[in-house]
Amino acid sequence: PVSQLDDRTPQYIVNKMSPYSGKGYFMSLTQLDEVLTYTYEVGVYVGGETFRIVSENITLPADEWVHMVATYDGHSIALFMSADPSSLTLVKNGTYFGEPLMYGKANAQPMHIGENFFGLIDEVKVYSLVLTPSDVRKSAMYHKLKDATGLVAYYRFNQDNGDVVKDDGPHELHA
């Protein structure tokens, strides 16, 4: 669930961007004027001064969990969401066909989860490969993912470790 804010500050679900150059990647919601209406945005730095960003205005249900997923395959960023992960809906597919195939660049920025986020986040999973909608549904239902193919990080937010969130994925990238 996401609560209402009075400003247009992006509420980052995931943010692994440099605060100086913006290089990295992010997934965010930004409050719009209408109640429970947000801009759902995902951006990926792909090299040089090139960023690929896709956004769509969405309305979230009040007081319900929403499953949000983004994928990037070098040509397109797809945004999905649904209250039920077994029935993910494509919200937007921003394609960059006709442009060179470009993948996100590695960076040394720390992972920030929930930066400026005014609501609750149950879990975050980061993969190094593009998941199909079927893969996403399976991932949402299965929580023993230490050996899942392509899993980079898995934050479940069910530990009591103060300000540090334990990564239950294979790389132990605690945030």
Side-chain angles (χ1 to χ4, degrees), residues 11-12 17-20 38 93 99 113 117-118 127 132:
Q11 299 181 49
Y12 291 101
M17 294 186 313
S18 164
Y20 307 105
Y38 298 84
N93 189 12
E99 295 183 24
I113 299 170
F117 194 80
F118 193 67
Y127 287 84
T132 66

Side-chain angles (χ1 to χ4, degrees), residues 15-23 109-110 112 115:
N15 179 0
K16 196 171 183 334
M17 294 186 313
S18 164
Y20 307 105
S21 67
K23 295 175 181 178
Q109 299 302 317
H112 297 276
E115 182 179 355

Side-chain angles (χ1 to χ4, degrees), residues 1 18 23 29-30 32 36 49 54 68 73 79 82 85 89 96-97 112 118 120 126 131 148-149 152:
S18 164
K23 295 175 181 178
L29 294 171
T30 302
L32 298 175
L36 297 175
E49 293 303 316
V54 172
M68 302 183 86
D73 66 4
L79 308 180
S82 174
T89 301
Y96 293 86
F97 290 114
H112 297 276
F118 193 67
L120 302 173
V126 178
L131 300 180
T149 302
V152 175

